[in-house]
Amino acid sequence: MKTLQKFGLFFYFLLPLVKLAPPKQHSATFYDPGLATLEETIFKQSYEDIIFKEDYEDKPQDAVKNQESNDMLLFHENELQMQRDEEILSEGSTNLTDLATCLLCVCLSGSVYCEETDMESVPALPKETGYLYARFNKIKKLKVSDFAEIPTLKRIDLTGNMIQDIEDGTFAKLVLLEELSLADNRLAKLPALPPKLTSLKANNNFIKSRGIKANAFKKLTNLSFLDLGHNLLESVPLNLPESLRTLNLQV
């Protein structure tokens, strides 16, 4: 009995000297590829756990507050990273549009092939497109916005569509355009043409003589090929350039 009393007394005095262990930390490894590598993140988490344990042994309440502050800081850092990612996606929206066009068509070395796809309008073209082939579709109208951002175009082939209307200035910014084919459409008049044009095919339309302005070809000093066959012309167009080598006006 005396032995048990001595042991109980010893345990009573020893108990205050034992510190309670800090609460168990949940080991949740956070990994954000935009902020750090996986190895760096694991190292950072382990280091923070050690610091928390040491602080808790000295000042438990302050350690908990510091841990909560670190969590909040980490939350804000990741919130900012998400905002940056959204801004990057927004800036790359044009690229996404280009990608959509190239899924529908075939994009190859500056050339875009959109043939027999049943499209009803000119698609958004990738920047620096040099050659567009959109033959045998259902395009009914050409707009200024179709080519306004693609001044690099050198050849446009829209043969075999249903084009009836071309907005004024559609080809105005295409200073490098050399070849244009509007054959086999439903045009009643010719649009204003770019100055460096060397070849124009507008055969098999419904173009009448009054649908061609008197100075339509006057400034086309590089034009060497002109096909206006199988239209509704009543006379030879005026002011044809001396550079012409081939002219087709077959009825």
Side-chain angles (χ1 to χ4, degrees):
M1 186 67 179
K2 291 181 179 181
T3 303
L4 292 175
Q5 289 178 349
K6 289 180 180 180
F7 179 76
L9 185 63
F10 173 75
F11 182 80
Y12 177 78
F13 283 105
L14 181 63
L15 183 61
L17 299 177
V18 179
K19 285 187 177 182
L20 294 177
K24 184 178 181 181
Q25 298 298 306
H26 295 288
S27 57
T29 302
F30 180 83
Y31 174 58
D32 185 342
L35 295 175
T37 62
L38 181 57
E39 292 80 3
E40 291 171 346
T41 305
I42 294 174
F43 175 80
K44 181 180 179 183
Q45 183 67 35
S46 301
Y47 178 77
E48 289 177 351
D49 288 344
I50 294 171
I51 296 298
F52 175 79
K53 184 176 181 180
E54 292 177 353
D55 291 345
Y56 189 87
E57 291 178 352
D58 295 335
K59 297 180 180 180
Q61 293 181 350
D62 292 344
V64 173
K65 289 181 180 179
N66 291 336
Q67 180 74 359
E68 291 176 352
S69 298
N70 290 337
D71 291 343
M72 186 60 67
L73 179 60
L74 183 62
F75 172 78
H76 285 305
E77 287 178 352
N78 288 288
E79 189 177 41
L80 289 172
Q81 183 65 29
M82 290 175 65
Q83 292 177 357
R84 294 190 197 103
D85 292 342
E86 289 177 356
E87 290 175 359
I88 291 173
L89 286 175
S90 177
E91 292 174 357
S93 60
T94 302
N95 293 332
L96 292 176
T97 302
D98 296 350
L99 178 60
T101 298
C102 292
L103 288 175
L104 175 66
C105 308
V106 176
C107 300
L108 182 63
S109 301
S111 299
V112 178
Y113 300 87
C114 300
E115 302 185 351
E116 299 183 88
T117 60
D118 290 335
M119 63 174 55
E120 298 182 358
S121 61
V122 176
L125 299 174
K127 288 186 177 180
E128 300 183 0
T129 296
Y131 304 91
L132 170 63
Y133 303 91
R135 298 179 292 191
F136 312 113
N137 288 293
K138 298 179 181 179
I139 301 172
K140 296 180 180 179
K141 182 177 181 178
L142 299 182
K143 300 176 291 183
V144 174
S145 58
D146 290 338
F147 308 115
E149 303 299 325
I150 317 292
T152 52
L153 279 166
K154 295 181 179 180
R155 179 186 299 165
I156 297 176
D157 193 341
L158 296 168
T159 300
N161 280 276
M162 303 177 181
I163 302 171
Q164 298 179 10
D165 184 27
I166 299 178
E167 286 184 356
D168 292 338
T170 295
F171 304 112
K173 294 185 178 182
L174 303 183
V175 295
L176 299 180
L177 191 67
E178 297 179 352
E179 299 179 31
L180 174 62
S181 179
L182 299 170
D184 300 308
N185 279 281
R186 301 177 182 178
L187 292 172
K189 62 180 180 179
L190 279 183
L193 302 169
K196 287 193 175 182
L197 208 63
T198 62
S199 174
L200 173 63
K201 297 179 181 179
N203 52 298
N204 295 317
N205 279 278
F206 302 100
I207 301 172
K208 296 183 178 181
S209 292
R210 62 175 177 269
I212 302 176
K213 294 182 179 180
N215 59 351
F217 304 105
K218 188 174 183 179
K219 296 182 180 180
L220 303 185
T221 57
N222 296 321
L223 189 66
S224 62
F225 183 92
L226 176 59
D227 189 350
L228 293 173
H230 300 288
N231 277 285
L232 302 176
L233 299 176
E234 300 94 8
S235 60
V236 177
L238 299 175
N239 297 314
L240 292 175
E242 295 182 359
S243 57
L244 269 181
R245 296 295 179 266
T246 303
L247 173 63
N248 181 18
L249 299 176
Q250 184 177 359
V251 178

